[in-house]
Amino acid sequence: MIRPRLLAATAATALAALALSGCVAKTDAAASGSLTVTSTDTSCDVSAATATSGTLTFDVTNQSSDVSEFYLLAEDGLRIVGEVENIAPGASRTLTVVAQPGDYYTLCKPGMVGEGVGKASFAVSGEKVAATGDDAEQKQKAVDLYAAFVKDQVEQLVPAVDSFVAAYESGDDDAAKAQFPTTRAFYERIEPVAESLGDLDPRIDYREVDAVAEGLEWTGFHRIEKDLWVPAQDALNSDGVTPAWQNWQPSTPAERAAYGDQLIADVAELNDYVHSDAFTEALDAQGIGGVSNGAIGLLDEVATGKISGEEDWWSGTDLWDFAANVKGSEMAFSLVQDFASSSGSEGAALVKQIQTGYDDLDASLAQHGSLQSGFVNYRELTEADKREFTDLINALAEPLSKLTSTILE
């Protein structure tokens, strides 16, 4: 976490939009054809699991007991290339996308919270389809799809925080420790959004030394972290000077309840914001430049906290945060790279250099674990490991810093 800054995360383009798939493999759908999608409380059935590239229409009917959403996800299962939301029980909505060749996923999200149901593979074959619409229209699609990505991450953060807090408040510290880094990953992928909202990010994610320096009440993830990983009596805080036990004691059960409930309330406030008109207006105001700035801002998160091990000082789970920041940055870049490439030979060369930088950084991270299987504790890294990460981040940061100006030329 770094100090609040202007909203820098806005991005997402789906020049290569897709099609969704449900739970059961069915027949092939022709280009310009229509597929039916049925969303229930437990399933997401699509009438075909394959299609030919071109314009595809998904007629989505919500047969669940709650408001639902339908998503088309890229092969990484993270980037959203198409979505339709706020489908009331018994209602139907239509999603139309230009499907490029590739592998995708479809899923429904009854209740518009959590990780969704019925996630299934969807394959598109055929030739690449030329993007339609003028430049402004394509850039607005990027902004809209980034908004959908942010909403999805926060919708998954809400129940993850509920489960994490329940373990913490009940005294099940082993369960809370296991959930701490995985829960934070949803937040770390979209952190600049919360950082734009005044004191919301400080309440959710400030380290102790930052809260004390600014005279703020210390709450949020890192307050809970210190309760879970109680420091030794002679330990120092992340500033390397302040004694860990100075003006601090492990929380009582009542204090745990207060800190846990506050985190739930703050995340609920974040969820309300990303589903508000104010959020949409903020993203629209920044336009496509927010996409590349989001990529840059998330890499800055790594450089200013995670690479030094100061973020998760007591748990040593910094590599989870590191990887989530990088993934969020890489996703933002992947959604705007076509705009940079189309700006000329220099733009194309810049895109290639940036992608190489991400690939090298991903490969280095993979030597120490993954978000799915877990990472080694930060304290297990050698000085050589840290230097390698630093060199790779610097190598990526330099060309990435040129991305916004290239896109806006």
Side-chain angles (χ1 to χ4, degrees):
M1 190 272 337
I2 63 176
R3 286 180 171 76
R5 59 171 180 267
L6 294 176
L7 176 62
T10 354
T13 181
L15 298 179
L18 336 139
L20 308 167
S21 103
C23 312
V24 182
K26 303 203 174 76
T27 58
D28 181 80
S32 301
S34 180
L35 300 95
T36 60
V37 181
T38 302
S39 173
T40 73
D41 290 329
T42 59
S43 65
C44 187
D45 292 327
V46 183
S47 58
T50 60
T52 303
S53 57
T55 301
L56 296 178
T57 300
F58 299 90
D59 296 323
V60 186
T61 299
N62 181 14
Q63 294 183 0
S64 74
S65 59
D66 206 343
V67 176
S68 190
E69 299 173 313
F70 177 63
Y71 287 91
L72 172 63
L73 304 175
E75 186 176 11
D76 62 6
L78 187 65
R79 181 165 60 92
I80 295 171
V81 295
E83 59 97 27
V84 58
E85 59 182 351
N86 293 314
I87 312 171
S92 297
R93 296 279 299 279
T94 297
L95 172 67
T96 301
V97 296
V98 176
Q100 301 288 1
D103 295 321
Y104 306 105
Y105 292 99
T106 60
L107 101 153
C108 300
K109 191 181 289 185
M112 296 176 60
V113 70
E115 58 187 11
V117 300
K119 184 177 181 180
S121 300
F122 188 90
V124 176
S125 59
E127 301 297 322
K128 185 174 181 179
V129 181
T132 59
D134 60 22
D135 187 60
E137 180 182 353
Q138 293 296 341
K139 289 178 178 179
Q140 184 59 48
K141 287 182 181 178
V143 174
D144 293 343
L145 287 170
Y146 184 74
F149 167 72
V150 171
K151 292 176 186 178
D152 174 62
Q153 290 300 296
V154 178
E155 287 167 1
Q156 294 190 65
L157 176 65
V158 169
V161 165
D162 288 345
S163 177
F164 167 65
V165 166
Y168 167 67
E169 291 185 355
S170 69
D172 188 351
D173 287 6
D174 288 342
K177 286 180 177 180
Q179 293 176 49
F180 177 78
T182 57
T183 299
R184 285 176 53 74
F186 298 114
Y187 186 80
E188 293 294 331
R189 293 189 188 105
I190 53 90
E191 185 172 7
V193 173
E195 289 182 343
S196 72
L197 300 178
D199 64 352
L200 186 58
D201 179 65
R203 297 202 310 264
I204 292 175
D205 204 37
Y206 251 25
R207 299 175 305 157
E208 183 177 11
V209 293
D210 296 320
V212 170
E214 297 185 20
L216 301 175
E217 181 184 3
W218 185 37
T219 62
F221 278 119
H222 295 302
R223 180 62 181 82
I224 294 173
E225 176 194 9
K226 195 170 183 180
D227 277 337
L228 296 174
W229 284 272
V230 177
Q233 288 289 336
D234 60 349
L236 298 176
N237 282 322
S238 58
D239 59 5
V241 176
T242 310
W245 287 71
Q246 180 175 301
N247 300 319
W248 178 86
Q249 292 286 332
S251 299
T252 65
E255 289 170 335
R256 282 194 175 207
Y259 289 128
D261 291 352
Q262 183 64 56
L263 180 59
I264 289 175
D266 290 337
V267 169
E269 182 179 333
L270 177 61
N271 192 39
D272 288 343
Y273 171 69
V274 301
H275 288 87
S276 71
D277 290 341
F279 174 62
T280 301
E281 292 166 1
L283 296 186
D284 288 348
Q286 291 188 58
I288 195 64
V291 177
S292 54
N293 286 338
I296 295 166
L298 282 164
L299 196 68
D300 286 344
E301 292 284 347
V302 178
T304 57
K306 282 71 174 184
I307 193 62
S308 63
E310 296 177 14
E311 177 79 357
D312 301 322
W313 186 249
W314 306 115
S315 65
T317 57
D318 299 83
L319 288 183
W320 275 266
D321 290 359
F322 186 139
N325 283 159
V326 171
K327 183 55 67 176
S329 175
E330 188 173 2
M331 190 219 67
F333 164 71
S334 74
L335 296 172
V336 302
Q337 61 180 338
D338 286 345
F339 296 112
S341 294
S342 64
S343 67
S345 58
E346 290 186 3
L350 181 68
V351 166
K352 184 176 181 181
Q353 186 179 7
I354 293 171
Q355 187 59 64
T356 297
Y358 279 121
D359 291 343
D360 291 344
L361 190 54
D362 288 340
S364 183
L365 272 168
Q367 296 177 23
H368 305 283
S370 70
L371 284 167
Q372 292 72 34
S373 61
F375 286 98
V376 300
N377 191 285
Y378 186 83
R379 298 178 184 88
E380 295 182 29
L381 297 182
T382 65
E383 289 304 314
D385 293 331
K386 297 173 188 177
R387 283 195 300 272
E388 178 177 311
F389 280 138
T390 299
D391 291 344
L392 290 172
I393 290 170
N394 290 338
L396 174 57
E398 193 278 327
L400 191 62
S401 68
K402 303 176 183 177
L403 183 62
T404 302
S405 60
T406 300
I407 290 172
L408 297 180
E409 285 179 353

